[in-house]
Every structure is written in C-alpha cells, then in structure tokens.
Amino acid sequence: MKTPLEPTPRRWRLPVLVLLGTALLSGSFAIATLALPSRADDGAPKPAPKTEPLPEITGRRTVSQGLVDVRDGVTAVLPLQPGRVAKVLAKENQEFDEGAPLYLMDDRHARFSRDQAEAALRAAEIQLDEAKKKLPEQHRLSVAGQQDIIQAKQNKRDAGQKDADDAKRLADKNLASADRAAAAQKLVDAADAEIEAEKKKLRGLELLDPDFTIRKAEQEVAAKKVQLDEAKWAVDECTVKAPYKGKVLRMQVSVGDGLPNPRQAPILFCSTAPRIVRAEIEQEFAPKVYVGQSARIKDFVSEDLGVWTGKVESISDWYTHRRSMLLEPLQFNDVRTREAIIELDPGQKPLQIGQRVRVTLPVAPPQ
C-alpha cells in the first residue's frame, strides 16, 4: 500500500501579499496628502469678500520690507533734570494734548533754588532803590567835604607859612634860632604835601559817577530776575509734559524710579499725525523706485489682515543701514538700503506703529 503524497505549499502567496500591502500603503499616503490642505481650512475663519477687490499687481515689480511710523517718529519723554519720580499720571494707549502732564518729579530741590533766587532778587532790588535815592547825594556831600578839608589845610598851611617867614626874618636879624626857622619851613612843606594828597582824593571822588553804580545795580536786578525765571522754569519742568498731541505707546516708569535711566526711556510717545510706511529699498532695486509710484502694503506675517494702498512721497538721498538693527527673521542687516516714505491713501483702517509690512512697488515698463 502506497503512502499518499502531501500537497506542495503554494509559494506564490507571500509575494502577492507584500505587493498588495505596499499598494494599500501608497494609496493611503496619497489620499492623506491630497486631503491635508482642505482639512487645514476646515473651521478656520475666512476674511469677508470685498465688494471691490483691488487689482493685482502683475508684471515687473519691486518688493521690499517696511516699518509703519509717523514723520516725527517715536519720542522718548525724559525729564530735563535728574531726580526721582513722585507721581505717574499717564496710562498706555491714552491720548494727550500738547503740554498735558504725564508724570511728576520730586521738585523739592528745584523749589529751594527758586526761593533762593527770589530772596537774591529782593536784595538786589533793595540795593538799587538805595543807590537811586542816596548815592547821588552821598557823592555830592563827599566831594563838598573833601573840598572843605582842602580849604582848611590850605588855611593852616598859610598860617604856618607866615610863622615860618617871621622865624626866618628874626633869624636873619639874629633875634631867633636858625633851626627854629628851618623847622617852621618844614612844617609848611608838610602842609603842602597834605594839601596835594587831599586834592588827589578830591579828583578820585569826582571821577566816581553815581550813574554808573546805579546802572550796575539795575543790571544786577536784571540778572537776578533771569536767575529767578530759570529757577521757576526748573520747578515747572519737574512736571514732565506731552511734547505734542499724541498717544502713550509704552509706559516704563513707576513711582520712586530715579531718572534719567540709561537702560530705558520712561515713556514712549507718538504723534497722532497720519501714519506712514518707511520702505527699505536695497541698493539693487533702488533705481526702480520713484516719487509718485503707487504701492501696495500687506502685513509681513499675515496677509489676511488686508491690503493698504499708498504712493511714494519721497526717497532718501543716502544709502545706509536699516533703521531697526534687530535680527528680524528673513532679513539681512548687513546690506545698505535707501528709505522711501510712502503716504497711505485716506479712508483706510490704521496700521500700528512699528508694524512690519511687505511693500510691493510696480515698475513701469520701459518706453
């Protein structure tokens, strides 16, 4: 009896299964790849369609980066004299008129200086009043008194000369000592010297003009008034005010801070003037930009924010580094650029100060 033969295994099944699995995996990957863009949009907010879409810029164009700014730029509002902050009045995003107080500095030292200046002014005014009332009369009396002194000494000298003459006459007749006559003559000579000295004093008094002293006192009063005005100005400057009508962008100050702080500005202030875009044109593309050229502006990160339009108002006359030296993504700071100021068309929603944008400038075809 023969043993039945076992059936041989089917070796073709394994390759077929491998091929089938590979085909299924490739198909799943392709379907997932095609489905990703559509699924990424599911549930995402879409911008409302515009009734009048802006025409797209086609053809040759220049694309550059830009920053939103105002013509006066952002101002760091600092105190003019060092001190300590006593009170903060401003808040971020708050608008102020020109001259409105933003924060107060400790003004005690300034008030002390003002009080000293007021006292010095009063003293100068008293000296001026005294000079006007008394100095002319004092000068007149001093001259007259000196003249009287000279006259008295002259009379005394004349009397002494008479005594000297009598002594000499007696000495010539051997009725008196010759030494006595010589001594009497020396007294006369001494009187002459005293008279000459008193005359010099008189000439010195006559050279003194009271008007000069009065004018000097008047100038002293004027100088003290200026010092007082300066001291009052210093007190007033302890209240740091808005330099112009604008808005507080950032507050970096609090009560007790010592200013000025070399590390940061206490308040960053911006004008309420219309916003502009400072487009940074690289040297390679600068010749294609001209005044009056139309411009389209988009946010550098999100194009869903919309499109702004404007025109090139002016172009800088020099190539230099970018205004912002921060290492922005996809931006090279080691290239020279020429700045073009773009005025935005009216009636558009405002852009934010410092917003990074992409500016597209169409290039007119050659004639």
Side-chain angles (χ1 to χ4, degrees):
M1 182 175 181
K2 294 182 180 180
T3 304
L5 298 176
E6 294 181 0
T8 59
R10 299 179 180 179
R11 301 180 177 229
W12 55 270
R13 290 182 179 179
L14 182 59
V16 170
L17 291 176
V18 172
L19 292 175
L20 183 59
T22 304
L24 290 175
L25 182 61
S26 301
S28 300
F29 180 76
I31 293 172
T33 304
L34 294 174
L36 279 177
S38 60
R39 295 185 64 185
D41 292 338
D42 294 342
K46 298 181 180 179
K50 297 183 180 180
T51 56
E52 296 182 359
L54 295 172
E56 292 293 334
I57 295 179
T58 59
R60 300 171 62 232
R61 58 188 181 269
T62 300
V63 180
S64 65
Q65 301 178 23
L67 294 174
V68 180
D69 199 359
V70 291
R71 291 190 179 274
D72 297 333
V74 177
T75 302
V77 185
L78 296 163
L80 295 184
Q81 50 192 352
R84 194 168 299 278
V85 178
K87 188 175 183 180
V88 178
L89 304 174
K91 296 180 180 179
E92 287 186 348
N93 299 321
Q94 187 176 3
E95 292 190 1
F96 293 90
D97 291 330
E98 181 179 356
L102 301 178
Y103 59 94
L104 308 179
M105 303 290 293
D106 188 349
D107 63 348
R108 285 176 294 178
H109 183 272
R111 287 188 286 107
F112 293 153
S113 300
R114 180 199 59 192
D115 296 342
Q116 290 176 354
E118 288 179 347
L121 175 60
R122 288 194 296 269
E125 289 174 342
I126 292 172
Q127 290 180 353
L128 175 60
D129 185 63
E130 183 179 10
K132 287 182 177 180
K133 292 182 178 179
K134 299 181 179 180
L135 194 58
E137 183 64 17
Q138 287 178 348
H139 181 262
R140 188 188 66 80
L141 293 175
S142 297
V143 172
Q146 188 64 25
Q147 290 173 344
D148 293 341
I149 291 174
I150 293 172
Q151 185 62 46
K153 287 185 178 294
Q154 285 178 343
N155 294 337
K156 185 177 179 181
R157 182 260 180 201
D158 292 341
Q161 183 65 53
K162 185 177 180 181
D163 292 340
D165 292 342
D166 292 342
K168 185 177 182 302
R169 188 170 51 253
L170 293 174
D172 292 341
K173 294 179 180 181
N174 294 322
L175 297 176
S177 171
D179 293 337
R180 183 178 179 183
Q185 186 60 46
K186 287 183 178 180
L187 291 175
V188 172
D189 294 339
D192 287 336
E194 290 181 0
I195 293 172
E196 187 63 29
E198 297 297 337
K199 287 182 177 179
K200 290 180 179 178
K201 289 183 181 179
L202 176 61
R203 286 194 294 270
L205 290 174
E206 291 174 343
L207 290 175
L208 294 176
D209 189 350
D211 292 338
F212 289 138
T213 305
I214 292 173
R215 287 199 295 269
K216 182 179 178 182
E218 290 174 345
Q219 293 303 313
E220 187 69 18
V221 170
K224 297 301 181 183
K225 286 182 178 179
V226 173
Q227 292 178 1
L228 178 59
D229 292 339
E230 181 183 9
K232 289 181 178 179
W233 170 81
V235 173
D236 185 66
E237 284 299 323
C238 289
T239 301
V240 183
K241 307 178 185 66
Y244 42 74
K245 185 177 181 180
K247 176 188 291 187
V248 174
L249 296 180
R250 178 173 293 180
M251 294 286 301
Q252 301 180 132
V253 64
S254 58
V255 175
D257 285 345
L259 298 180
N261 186 344
R263 294 184 298 239
Q264 64 183 15
I267 288 182
L268 296 178
F269 197 78
C270 173
S271 170
T272 55
R275 308 285 166 87
I276 61 171
V277 174
R278 299 185 185 273
E280 298 168 328
I281 314 298
E282 295 185 10
Q283 187 170 350
E284 179 182 359
F285 307 104
K288 301 177 183 179
V289 180
Y290 54 90
V291 175
Q293 188 175 16
S294 60
R296 288 166 60 90
I297 298 102
K298 293 184 179 180
D299 184 82
F300 193 83
V301 178
S302 176
E303 294 189 355
D304 296 338
L305 297 179
V307 179
W308 291 262
T309 60
K311 290 184 178 180
V312 177
E313 188 270 338
S314 63
I315 305 174
S316 174
D317 198 26
W318 69 322
Y319 291 95
T320 183
H321 56 75
R322 302 178 188 273
R323 281 181 178 257
S324 175
M325 296 303 293
L326 298 177
L327 297 177
E328 301 281 1
L330 304 178
Q331 174 177 294
F332 297 99
N333 289 347
D334 57 349
V335 296
R336 291 191 171 274
T337 60
R338 191 178 180 188
E339 189 176 85
I341 295 180
I342 298 174
E343 284 187 341
L344 299 173
D345 295 334
Q348 304 180 90
K349 59 181 179 180
L351 291 163
Q352 278 68 50
I353 297 294
Q355 183 175 354
R356 193 177 176 205
V357 294
R358 182 179 288 107
V359 180
T360 303
L361 301 168
V363 179
Q367 301 296 329

